[in-house]
Amino acid sequence: MFFHRKETIVPVDVKHPDPQFGQFLLEQFGGATGELTAALQYWVQSFHVTDPSIRDMLQDIALEEFSHLEVVGKLIEQHTSTLDQTDVYAAPLFRVRGVGPHFVDSQGSAWTAAYINEGGNVVRDLRANIAAEAGARQTYEALIHNCKDTATKKVLTHLLTREITHAQMFMAALDKMGKLTDPMFGTIKPDETVDLVFNLSKGDDHRGPWNSKPLFRFEDDPKPTGGLPPGPVNPDDEEVKLAAE
Amino acid sequence: MFFHRKETIVPVDVKHPDPQFGQFLLEQFGGATGELTAALQYWVQSFHVTDPSIRDMLQDIALEEFSHLEVVGKLIEQHTSTLDQTDVYAAPLFRVRGVGPHFVDSQGSAWTAAYINEGGNVVRDLRANIAAEAGARQTYEALIHNCKDTATKKVLTHLLTREITHAQMFMAALDKMGKLTDPMFGTIKPDETVDLVFNLSKGDDHRGPWNSKPLFRFEDDPKPTGGLPPGPVNPDDEEVKLAAE
Amino acid sequence: MFFHRKETIVPVDVKHPDPQFGQFLLEQFGGATGELTAALQYWVQSFHVTDPSIRDMLQDIALEEFSHLEVVGKLIEQHTSTLDQTDVYAAPLFRVRGVGPHFVDSQGSAWTAAYINEGGNVVRDLRANIAAEAGARQTYEALIHNCKDTATKKVLTHLLTREITHAQMFMAALDKMGKLTDPMFGTIKPDETVDLVFNLSKGDDHRGPWNSKPLFRFEDDPKPTGGLPPGPVNPDDEEVKLAAE
Amino acid sequence: MFFHRKETIVPVDVKHPDPQFGQFLLEQFGGATGELTAALQYWVQSFHVTDPSIRDMLQDIALEEFSHLEVVGKLIEQHTSTLDQTDVYAAPLFRVRGVGPHFVDSQGSAWTAAYINEGGNVVRDLRANIAAEAGARQTYEALIHNCKDTATKKVLTHLLTREITHAQMFMAALDKMGKLTDPMFGTIKPDETVDLVFNLSKGDDHRGPWNSKPLFRFEDDPKPTGGLPPGPVNPDDEEVKLAAE
Amino acid sequence: MFFHRKETIVPVDVKHPDPQFGQFLLEQFGGATGELTAALQYWVQSFHVTDPSIRDMLQDIALEEFSHLEVVGKLIEQHTSTLDQTDVYAAPLFRVRGVGPHFVDSQGSAWTAAYINEGGNVVRDLRANIAAEAGARQTYEALIHNCKDTATKKVLTHLLTREITHAQMFMAALDKMGKLTDPMFGTIKPDETVDLVFNLSKGDDHRGPWNSKPLFRFEDDPKPTGGLPPGPVNPDDEEVKLAAE
Amino acid sequence: MFFHRKETIVPVDVKHPDPQFGQFLLEQFGGATGELTAALQYWVQSFHVTDPSIRDMLQDIALEEFSHLEVVGKLIEQHTSTLDQTDVYAAPLFRVRGVGPHFVDSQGSAWTAAYINEGGNVVRDLRANIAAEAGARQTYEALIHNCKDTATKKVLTHLLTREITHAQMFMAALDKMGKLTDPMFGTIKPDETVDLVFNLSKGDDHRGPWNSKPLFRFEDDPKPTGGLPPGPVNPDDEEVKLAAE
């Protein structure tokens, strides 16, 4: 069951509102790497993760992400408070749809659950979460680099910080399961090609630990091992009589 | 520049075609965790990754994923070759749209680039890729558990194997950069809350390395540190005279 | 700031799990009329609604909808707990993506913020909310009519009940503002056609209070009042020399 | 069966074309609150509404909305007729895709039927329509406030006016059914919680007719009534041995 | 300006309603190849096509497609009229969302304007239309092959017929412009490679008029003509020190 | 099986990088008419086209389109290399998401497989391809008209040229099958209305070969031939007692 207090988890007090920057901020409200994605991804995972301690962790972090979504929303609300004093074609999204946050990204695309990565297995979920945190951190860095308001920068730096915290929590959980540095999980045994690496893009080739011994066997000039498969059987295709040579 | 040979990277020879299973297989052709997502994600990253050796790795793996996409497509082509002999309302997608693969998932939703996770920074990209591999592996496991055709199972096991290989390659690259087990990257210094963990979902609480010393300080009963923010300024909102108590 | 308790707002205890019904239930988890739509719609409105008492109401209800989303998720989790004992091609979504809820509807389409209706003005928002509640109630009715598990029915009836409660709350708020039965709001004065009704679909015509006096003037055979507008100016169009008669 | 006359329902004669404003206008051509949404929503409802007089009303209004869609399209056509004389990066959508209207919103997102709200029950449909009209009216107000061309303003004011007319028609229909001010409809009897209101968002609390007697019983400090539900059963989840405290 | 008569353009009288077939029919109501796509595509083109006779043709056909959309909707309405007498998990879409047509395809995906192909140039538009007609015809053929109701088959055959008529009309228009068999249009002069064909997919190679003289020069073993481009300049990328060999 | 060389198919060497033009270029990377659409459309068709020579042609062209996608990506990479020196709110997409290409269009909408047109029959596929080429050519023309960098213009002209080449190849294949100028294909015999043309949009009427003898019979004032169909049967609709006149 969810509860809410109207005070924000950290203070939000924009000094120099800038509706155009408000449109940038939408990326973390209704965008792919935003707080909604994180909150819903961790929370929906908690419904199929069988270990109660991981479930608890997922829910604790999900709740913090909802609280962060609120903080980003408040930032946008305050940055758009001066929309009437800006050029009519700056920050067009808020002109047409109204001030305050909306569940779209900085380009106006509606948030979609296609951004969420989850399902079936806790190792898969935790790896997805480390990726989600990395995406969120990267977007916060981009926003901070382009932000002129000191108060906003401070909040964004806090939100970036928390993504690192969460990443470390997910890493600690994977580490406890022995899955932080081991690629394998699940019940299916891989076949004998598991240590083969194929050089399929040629030119400017490089070697590194990811395609060298001791972990990998490198195949410099790989060839198809499947023959030419038979053509399709398509009862609806045109009866074509083509004398192709 | 891209080249192609008509022979497949591994043999594809379905013995017992099953159009309904063909519809399941679409998940790895046009679905979120499928080969198209992997191929395009790794390849598009190669355009902004500055290190030439990581770029080479991304392109090598992307090309293998394109070759795997072809393998999944051939499996679907062969599984749908007997559509005419099945019940009219089984595998409805192929009935209406024709046999063979289409860029939709097993539920008929069109593939969208919203599935792709990339941008800005190579550490973010590689973490996204480990997550992508985990998702692909998980779906292959689900398909294998529900597959009756031995020949198909063998191919799917190979594809699952290669996801593990790629995950290990991405891990090796992150490890060389010192970023496999370190959550931090980028240029912004986190604030002082980086080791705080909040207990925001209460009841059935659990402790583990992800919310305990030495890595973390645990806050059992967190409170808002932001006060009540001011209400929005919305010039278009209704002039409401509400005697709210 | 958000908080959570792991106990659910109402008890969830499915007696006869049915994964196929679980797929139906997704409609209210990740579907257009589902609890996520309601929770996010009301909550995002609270960022631009200037009246603090309406804002409080929107947040109170949003929080309840999040709690209901959790209840629907728990129902789906329990209904899919027996997936392994069902036919492999029943409830295909959970087979391929794993048990438990996902943010898709009963047809497998990802949730999109395009479902959300909000922005600019509190009257518009409240009318959107009454519509959202009506959609949710209608889907719950459909689910109840097709549900065999008594325990599930009881929960769904509660959720349906609460949609009626919320609708009544939104109506009470609109009524206080004098906008429940008055179509006008905002600052633009309508033109003189405001009471005209056009009979544009002919045959099987009917009259009622919506196209009759005293509220309306009825125009049985409306004609264009705009003349033939000039053709487009398109510099990129083909230079066509067509001697069309 | 549909018919068309090339004259527009009202005159369209833009005096001062502005391609950037043309991009704003797309919101009402291919956007969520636009004329296509209205036309298709009312018309598709007419296929399942059993009362012939409501069906007639829905079709009459749908046809008017199609005619309004044409008017908005003509406005966009005329506003983009001077694209060649504007800065190359103003109104980018028309630069790349050509002049005239397209079925996207002002941010370039393709129109989606996810905007449509309909199904199952006429009361639900009519409430959805009142919401649709409110959204359309609100967007027209935003456009008018930002419009410099008097001729365009006049047309937009007419279109806004008609949304009010339609809202009043839908209200009159609901009123005749006794459903304009009564939240209940359908065949399912609500449970005993129908008059309970929960204070779930605390701080800056307010009371009003929507959470007070005589209509409602107010619960200031609601608690979960469901206990802790059992954890999920997930056969595909990792066998994790975690000594969680 | 649009007008409507309630009689359908052709009779619709389903004798043996089948809700599962009704779900198939959605493909032509709210699907990619359906009547909505055709109607809106031709009609939106008419706003930027400068030749008045082509514009007239586009509008005439668009109006017929709207009338066909109505026919498909009526077919679905009649096929779902017996939903209550079918198995609860057959035709699930109508169970959950109500009887009658909805703007989704047979897999439940919402119609999107991404299906529409138009813009900038009348030759491009007309070619897009011939493709649209071919897609529609193909889906009607698939539906007819899987249809058991004679009355429905007759209607579907008529709709298929009209797609051929429209294709022929578009061909006649292109032919008049000299663009039916000439690939070139527009104002940009192609470069000297216009008759080169590259053999990029090797194995099972075939020759035909599309890669042979007199129209084409065939390059059996094409090579890159661009060198190795410089690596990207990405200020946000990680400072990686990788001793890649 | 796919292979790659790091050299590009044609040289890419932007002299005057312009991030705003880079955003325009996204239209051909991740947009509807872009190279990804073409590559995937032709390639996925090859899985159901039964004629091996057409299959070979489709794969040859698909591979070239992948190589062109790479060229467009390199153009974008180079055009965004000076992003740091441009105004912070120019080219906003790259500011927030990082430099280099992404699979979105120039308006920031994610690429979707809804752009792809294919399935069931080779004639339908080839017609779809001619349309795809026309769309791609049109967008290249728009880009060239708005491009200031000579080196970029040269590359874009080459890409435009190749679309013409491919269009001609598809035309040659259709011609060999006798389907370039004949609208009919497939196995269903059209009904007797195949040569009827309806004048449904009246006013400013025009005649041409597409609605005249010898190919067509013209019906100037078409009427419905279907009567008034019965109203819907909707068990979930409200029991409305409306005394509609």
Side-chain angles (χ1 to χ4, degrees):
Chain A
M1 182 176 175
F2 286 76
F3 302 87
H4 182 254
R5 285 206 59 83
K6 287 199 177 57
E7 299 90 344
T8 48
I9 191 169
V10 290
V12 182
D13 188 10
V14 173
K15 299 296 180 201
H16 302 286
D18 175 355
Q20 282 187 292
F21 191 73
Q23 190 155 342
F24 273 23
L25 284 168
L26 285 169
E27 197 75 13
Q28 294 299 78
F29 192 83
T33 61
E35 300 290 351
L36 183 64
T37 304
L40 293 180
Q41 178 166 306
Y42 308 156
W43 188 60
V44 80
Q45 291 171 353
S46 76
F47 288 94
H48 63 254
V49 165
T50 48
D51 181 86
S53 65
I54 303 283
R55 212 156 63 222
D56 181 40
M57 177 187 68
L58 290 167
Q59 291 176 331
D60 280 339
I61 304 181
L63 265 288
E64 189 179 352
E65 305 291 22
F66 278 117
S67 301
H68 290 170
L69 184 64
E70 185 173 37
V71 165
V72 177
K74 284 285 168 193
L75 284 172
I76 296 167
E77 178 192 306
Q78 295 182 15
H79 272 289
T80 57
S81 62
T82 55
L83 185 68
D84 272 11
Q85 303 149 39
T86 61
D87 178 78
V88 70
Y89 293 129
L93 193 143
F94 302 109
R95 279 286 164 188
V96 175
R97 302 198 189 159
V99 298
H102 307 281
F103 283 112
V104 295
D105 65 24
S106 63
Q107 298 287 312
S109 292
W111 190 88
T112 161
Y115 297 144
I116 287 182
N117 188 356
E118 57 83 30
N121 184 294
V122 65
V123 176
R124 180 257 179 109
D125 287 344
L126 293 174
R127 290 185 182 173
N129 298 357
I130 292 171
E133 295 293 344
R137 198 217 65 87
Q138 182 58 26
T139 304
Y140 279 126
E141 175 154 347
L143 292 173
I144 292 166
H145 283 320
N146 293 294
C147 179
K148 292 168 207 159
D149 179 60
T150 312
T152 303
K153 262 190 178 167
K154 189 172 150 62
V155 176
L156 295 175
T157 301
H158 176 68
L159 297 174
L160 176 148
T161 296
R162 300 305 299 162
E163 311 302 14
I164 293 171
T165 309
H166 300 159
Q168 187 153 27
M169 293 171 74
F170 294 131
M171 284 179 170
L174 275 175
D175 193 40
K176 172 131 194 184
M177 299 161 65
K179 294 299 178 192
L180 181 56
T181 60
D182 174 4
M184 299 206 202
F185 65 99
T187 66
I188 310 282
K189 202 173 158 302
D191 70 20
E192 69 291 346
T193 67
V194 73
D195 61 347
L196 267 183
V197 172
F198 301 126
N199 181 27
L200 288 165
S201 171
K202 301 211 175 176
D204 197 25
D205 289 336
H206 293 263
R207 303 293 293 273
W210 51 80
N211 61 8
S212 303
K213 291 183 177 173
L215 286 174
F216 300 101
R217 288 180 288 152
F218 184 71
E219 192 149 332
D220 190 53
D221 194 23
K223 297 276 190 303
T225 67
L228 201 66
V233 176
N234 180 0
D236 291 329
D237 202 4
E238 200 66 10
E239 290 293 324
V240 194
K241 295 291 169 280
L242 281 166
E245 302 90 281
Chain B
M1 183 177 176
F2 285 76
F3 302 87
H4 182 255
R5 285 206 59 84
K6 287 200 176 57
E7 299 90 345
T8 47
I9 191 168
V10 289
V12 182
D13 189 9
V14 174
K15 299 297 180 200
H16 302 287
D18 175 356
Q20 281 188 292
F21 191 74
Q23 190 156 341
F24 273 24
L25 284 167
L26 285 168
E27 196 76 12
Q28 294 299 80
F29 192 82
T33 61
E35 300 289 353
L36 183 64
T37 303
L40 293 180
Q41 178 166 306
Y42 308 156
W43 187 60
V44 81
Q45 291 172 352
S46 76
F47 288 94
H48 63 254
V49 165
T50 48
D51 181 85
S53 66
I54 303 283
R55 212 156 62 223
D56 181 39
M57 176 187 67
L58 290 167
Q59 291 176 329
D60 280 340
I61 303 182
L63 266 288
E64 189 179 351
E65 304 291 23
F66 278 118
S67 301
H68 290 169
L69 183 63
E70 186 173 36
V71 165
V72 178
K74 283 286 169 193
L75 284 173
I76 296 167
E77 178 192 307
Q78 295 182 15
H79 272 288
T80 56
S81 63
T82 55
L83 185 68
D84 272 11
Q85 303 148 41
T86 61
D87 178 76
V88 70
Y89 293 128
L93 193 144
F94 302 110
R95 280 286 164 188
V96 174
R97 301 196 188 159
V99 298
H102 307 280
F103 283 113
V104 295
D105 65 23
S106 62
Q107 297 287 311
S109 292
W111 190 88
T112 161
Y115 298 144
I116 288 182
N117 188 357
E118 58 83 31
N121 183 293
V122 66
V123 175
R124 179 257 178 108
D125 288 344
L126 293 174
R127 290 185 182 173
N129 298 356
I130 291 171
E133 295 293 345
R137 198 217 65 86
Q138 181 59 26
T139 304
Y140 279 126
E141 174 154 345
L143 292 172
I144 292 166
H145 284 321
N146 293 293
C147 180
K148 293 168 207 157
D149 180 60
T150 311
T152 303
K153 263 190 177 167
K154 189 173 150 61
V155 177
L156 295 176
T157 301
H158 176 67
L159 297 174
L160 177 148
T161 296
R162 300 305 298 163
E163 309 304 13
I164 293 171
T165 309
H166 300 158
Q168 186 153 31
M169 293 171 75
F170 295 130
M171 284 179 171
L174 274 177
D175 193 39
K176 171 132 196 185
M177 299 161 66
K179 294 298 177 192
L180 181 56
T181 60
D182 174 5
M184 299 206 201
F185 66 98
T187 66
I188 310 283
K189 203 173 156 301
D191 69 21
E192 69 290 347
T193 66
V194 74
D195 62 347
L196 268 183
V197 173
F198 301 125
N199 182 27
L200 288 165
S201 171
K202 300 209 175 177
D204 197 23
D205 289 336
H206 293 262
R207 302 294 293 273
W210 51 81
N211 61 8
S212 304
K213 292 185 177 173
L215 286 174
F216 299 100
R217 287 180 288 152
F218 183 71
E219 193 151 330
D220 190 53
D221 194 23
K223 298 277 188 304
T225 67
L228 202 65
V233 176
N234 181 359
D236 290 330
D237 202 3
E238 201 66 10
E239 290 293 324
V240 194
K241 295 292 169 280
L242 281 166
E245 302 90 277
Chain C
M1 182 176 175
F2 285 75
F3 302 88
H4 182 254
R5 287 206 58 85
K6 287 197 177 59
E7 299 90 346
T8 48
I9 191 168
V10 290
V12 182
D13 188 10
V14 173
K15 299 295 180 201
H16 302 286
D18 174 355
Q20 282 187 292
F21 191 74
Q23 190 155 342
F24 272 24
L25 285 169
L26 285 169
E27 197 76 12
Q28 293 300 77
F29 192 83
T33 60
E35 300 289 352
L36 184 64
T37 304
L40 294 180
Q41 178 165 307
Y42 308 156
W43 187 59
V44 80
Q45 291 171 352
S46 76
F47 288 94
H48 62 254
V49 165
T50 48
D51 181 85
S53 65
I54 303 283
R55 212 157 62 223
D56 181 39
M57 177 187 67
L58 289 168
Q59 291 175 332
D60 281 339
I61 304 182
L63 266 288
E64 189 179 352
E65 305 290 24
F66 278 118
S67 301
H68 290 170
L69 183 63
E70 185 174 36
V71 165
V72 177
K74 284 285 168 193
L75 284 173
I76 296 167
E77 179 192 306
Q78 295 182 15
H79 272 289
T80 57
S81 62
T82 55
L83 185 67
D84 273 11
Q85 303 148 40
T86 61
D87 178 78
V88 70
Y89 293 129
L93 193 144
F94 302 109
R95 279 285 165 189
V96 174
R97 301 195 188 160
V99 297
H102 306 281
F103 283 112
V104 295
D105 65 23
S106 63
Q107 298 287 311
S109 292
W111 190 88
T112 161
Y115 298 143
I116 287 182
N117 187 357
E118 57 84 30
N121 184 294
V122 65
V123 175
R124 179 256 180 110
D125 287 344
L126 293 174
R127 290 184 181 174
N129 298 356
I130 291 171
E133 296 293 344
R137 198 217 65 86
Q138 181 59 25
T139 304
Y140 279 125
E141 174 153 347
L143 292 174
I144 291 166
H145 284 321
N146 293 292
C147 179
K148 292 168 208 160
D149 179 59
T150 312
T152 302
K153 263 190 177 167
K154 189 173 150 61
V155 176
L156 295 175
T157 301
H158 176 67
L159 297 174
L160 177 148
T161 296
R162 300 304 299 163
E163 310 303 13
I164 293 171
T165 310
H166 301 159
Q168 187 153 30
M169 293 171 74
F170 295 131
M171 285 179 170
L174 275 175
D175 192 40
K176 171 130 196 185
M177 298 161 64
K179 294 299 178 193
L180 181 56
T181 60
D182 174 5
M184 299 206 200
F185 64 99
T187 66
I188 310 281
K189 203 174 157 301
D191 70 20
E192 70 290 347
T193 67
V194 74
D195 62 347
L196 268 183
V197 173
F198 302 126
N199 181 27
L200 288 165
S201 172
K202 301 210 175 177
D204 197 22
D205 289 336
H206 294 262
R207 302 294 293 274
W210 51 82
N211 61 8
S212 302
K213 290 183 179 175
L215 287 174
F216 301 100
R217 288 180 288 152
F218 184 71
E219 192 149 334
D220 189 54
D221 193 23
K223 297 275 190 303
T225 67
L228 202 65
V233 176
N234 179 359
D236 292 329
D237 202 6
E238 202 65 10
E239 290 293 324
V240 194
K241 294 290 169 282
L242 282 165
E245 304 90 280
Chain D
M1 183 175 175
F2 285 76
F3 302 87
H4 183 254
R5 286 205 59 84
K6 288 200 177 55
E7 299 90 345
T8 48
I9 190 169
V10 289
V12 181
D13 188 9
V14 173
K15 298 296 179 201
H16 303 286
D18 175 354
Q20 282 188 290
F21 191 73
Q23 190 155 340
F24 272 24
L25 285 168
L26 285 169
E27 197 75 12
Q28 295 298 79
F29 191 82
T33 61
E35 301 289 353
L36 183 63
T37 304
L40 293 180
Q41 178 166 307
Y42 309 156
W43 187 60
V44 79
Q45 292 171 353
S46 77
F47 288 95
H48 63 254
V49 165
T50 47
D51 181 86
S53 66
I54 303 283
R55 212 156 62 222
D56 182 40
M57 176 186 68
L58 290 168
Q59 290 175 332
D60 280 340
I61 304 181
L63 266 287
E64 189 178 352
E65 304 292 22
F66 277 118
S67 300
H68 290 170
L69 184 64
E70 185 173 37
V71 165
V72 178
K74 283 285 168 193
L75 284 173
I76 295 168
E77 179 191 308
Q78 295 182 16
H79 272 288
T80 57
S81 63
T82 56
L83 185 68
D84 272 11
Q85 303 149 40
T86 61
D87 177 77
V88 70
Y89 293 129
L93 193 145
F94 302 110
R95 279 285 164 188
V96 175
R97 301 196 188 159
V99 298
H102 308 281
F103 284 113
V104 295
D105 65 24
S106 64
Q107 297 287 312
S109 293
W111 190 89
T112 161
Y115 298 144
I116 288 182
N117 188 357
E118 58 83 32
N121 184 294
V122 67
V123 176
R124 179 255 179 111
D125 287 344
L126 293 174
R127 291 185 181 174
N129 298 357
I130 291 171
E133 295 293 345
R137 198 217 66 86
Q138 181 59 25
T139 304
Y140 278 126
E141 174 154 346
L143 293 172
I144 292 166
H145 284 321
N146 293 293
C147 179
K148 292 168 208 158
D149 180 60
T150 312
T152 303
K153 263 189 178 169
K154 189 172 150 61
V155 177
L156 295 176
T157 301
H158 176 68
L159 297 174
L160 177 147
T161 296
R162 300 303 299 161
E163 309 304 13
I164 293 171
T165 310
H166 301 159
Q168 187 152 31
M169 293 170 75
F170 295 130
M171 284 178 171
L174 274 176
D175 193 40
K176 171 130 196 184
M177 299 160 65
K179 294 299 178 193
L180 182 55
T181 59
D182 173 5
M184 300 206 200
F185 65 98
T187 67
I188 310 282
K189 202 175 159 299
D191 69 21
E192 70 290 348
T193 67
V194 74
D195 62 347
L196 268 183
V197 172
F198 301 126
N199 181 28
L200 287 165
S201 171
K202 301 210 174 175
D204 197 23
D205 288 336
H206 292 263
R207 303 294 292 275
W210 50 82
N211 60 8
S212 303
K213 293 184 176 173
L215 286 174
F216 300 100
R217 287 181 287 153
F218 184 70
E219 192 150 334
D220 190 53
D221 193 23
K223 298 276 188 304
T225 66
L228 202 65
V233 176
N234 180 357
D236 290 330
D237 201 5
E238 202 65 10
E239 289 292 325
V240 194
K241 294 292 169 280
L242 281 166
E245 302 90 281
Chain E
M1 182 175 174
F2 285 76
F3 302 87
H4 182 255
R5 286 206 58 84
K6 287 198 177 57
E7 299 90 346
T8 49
I9 191 169
V10 289
V12 182
D13 188 9
V14 173
K15 298 297 181 200
H16 303 286
D18 174 355
Q20 281 189 291
F21 192 73
Q23 190 155 340
F24 273 25
L25 285 168
L26 285 169
E27 197 75 12
Q28 294 299 79
F29 191 83
T33 60
E35 300 289 353
L36 183 64
T37 303
L40 293 181
Q41 178 166 307
Y42 309 156
W43 187 61
V44 80
Q45 291 171 352
S46 76
F47 288 94
H48 63 253
V49 165
T50 47
D51 182 87
S53 66
I54 303 283
R55 212 157 62 224
D56 181 39
M57 176 187 68
L58 289 168
Q59 291 175 331
D60 281 340
I61 304 182
L63 266 288
E64 189 179 352
E65 304 291 23
F66 278 118
S67 301
H68 289 169
L69 184 63
E70 185 173 38
V71 165
V72 178
K74 284 285 169 194
L75 283 172
I76 296 168
E77 179 191 306
Q78 295 182 16
H79 272 287
T80 57
S81 63
T82 55
L83 185 67
D84 272 11
Q85 303 148 40
T86 62
D87 177 78
V88 69
Y89 293 128
L93 194 143
F94 302 110
R95 280 283 167 190
V96 174
R97 302 197 188 158
V99 299
H102 307 281
F103 283 112
V104 295
D105 66 24
S106 63
Q107 298 286 313
S109 292
W111 190 88
T112 162
Y115 298 143
I116 288 182
N117 188 357
E118 58 82 30
N121 184 294
V122 66
V123 176
R124 178 256 179 109
D125 287 345
L126 293 174
R127 290 184 182 174
N129 298 356
I130 291 172
E133 296 292 345
R137 198 217 65 86
Q138 181 58 26
T139 303
Y140 279 126
E141 173 153 348
L143 292 173
I144 292 166
H145 284 320
N146 293 293
C147 179
K148 293 167 207 159
D149 179 60
T150 311
T152 303
K153 264 190 177 167
K154 189 173 151 62
V155 177
L156 295 175
T157 301
H158 176 67
L159 297 174
L160 177 148
T161 296
R162 300 304 299 163
E163 310 303 12
I164 293 171
T165 310
H166 301 159
Q168 187 152 29
M169 293 170 74
F170 294 130
M171 285 179 169
L174 275 176
D175 192 41
K176 172 128 194 187
M177 298 160 65
K179 295 297 178 195
L180 180 57
T181 60
D182 174 4
M184 299 206 201
F185 65 98
T187 65
I188 310 283
K189 201 174 159 300
D191 70 20
E192 70 291 347
T193 67
V194 73
D195 63 346
L196 267 183
V197 173
F198 301 127
N199 181 27
L200 288 165
S201 171
K202 300 211 176 177
D204 197 25
D205 289 336
H206 292 263
R207 302 294 293 273
W210 51 80
N211 61 9
S212 303
K213 292 183 178 176
L215 286 174
F216 300 100
R217 290 179 287 152
F218 184 71
E219 192 149 332
D220 189 53
D221 193 22
K223 297 278 188 303
T225 67
L228 202 64
V233 176
N234 180 359
D236 291 329
D237 203 3
E238 201 65 10
E239 290 293 325
V240 194
K241 294 291 169 279
L242 281 167
E245 302 90 279
Chain F
M1 182 176 175
F2 285 76
F3 302 87
H4 183 255
R5 285 206 59 84
K6 288 200 176 56
E7 299 90 346
T8 48
I9 191 169
V10 290
V12 182
D13 188 10
V14 174
K15 298 297 182 202
H16 303 287
D18 175 356
Q20 282 188 290
F21 191 73
Q23 190 156 341
F24 272 25
L25 285 168
L26 284 169
E27 197 75 12
Q28 294 299 79
F29 191 83
T33 60
E35 300 289 352
L36 183 64
T37 304
L40 293 180
Q41 178 166 307
Y42 308 156
W43 187 60
V44 80
Q45 291 172 352
S46 77
F47 288 94
H48 63 253
V49 164
T50 48
D51 181 87
S53 66
I54 303 283
R55 212 156 62 223
D56 181 40
M57 177 187 67
L58 289 168
Q59 291 175 331
D60 280 341
I61 303 182
L63 266 288
E64 189 179 352
E65 304 292 23
F66 278 118
S67 301
H68 290 169
L69 183 63
E70 185 173 36
V71 165
V72 178
K74 285 284 169 194
L75 284 172
I76 295 167
E77 179 191 306
Q78 295 182 16
H79 272 288
T80 57
S81 63
T82 56
L83 184 68
D84 273 11
Q85 304 149 40
T86 61
D87 177 78
V88 70
Y89 294 128
L93 193 144
F94 302 110
R95 280 284 164 189
V96 175
R97 301 196 188 159
V99 298
H102 307 280
F103 283 112
V104 296
D105 65 23
S106 63
Q107 298 287 312
S109 293
W111 190 88
T112 161
Y115 297 144
I116 288 182
N117 188 355
E118 57 84 31
N121 184 294
V122 66
V123 176
R124 178 257 179 109
D125 287 343
L126 293 173
R127 289 184 182 174
N129 298 356
I130 291 170
E133 295 294 344
R137 198 217 65 86
Q138 181 59 25
T139 304
Y140 279 126
E141 175 154 347
L143 292 173
I144 292 166
H145 284 319
N146 292 294
C147 179
K148 292 166 206 158
D149 179 60
T150 312
T152 303
K153 263 190 176 167
K154 188 172 152 60
V155 177
L156 295 175
T157 302
H158 176 68
L159 297 174
L160 177 148
T161 297
R162 299 305 298 164
E163 310 303 14
I164 294 171
T165 311
H166 301 159
Q168 187 152 30
M169 293 171 74
F170 295 130
M171 285 179 170
L174 275 176
D175 193 39
K176 172 132 193 184
M177 299 161 64
K179 295 297 176 193
L180 181 57
T181 60
D182 174 4
M184 298 206 202
F185 66 99
T187 64
I188 310 282
K189 203 174 159 299
D191 70 21
E192 71 290 347
T193 67
V194 74
D195 62 347
L196 268 183
V197 172
F198 301 126
N199 182 27
L200 288 165
S201 171
K202 300 211 175 177
D204 197 24
D205 289 336
H206 292 263
R207 302 295 293 273
W210 51 82
N211 60 9
S212 302
K213 293 184 177 173
L215 286 174
F216 300 100
R217 289 179 287 151
F218 183 72
E219 193 149 330
D220 190 53
D221 193 23
K223 296 278 189 303
T225 67
L228 201 65
V233 175
N234 181 358
D236 292 329
D237 202 3
E238 202 64 11
E239 290 292 325
V240 195
K241 295 290 169 281
L242 282 166
E245 302 89 281

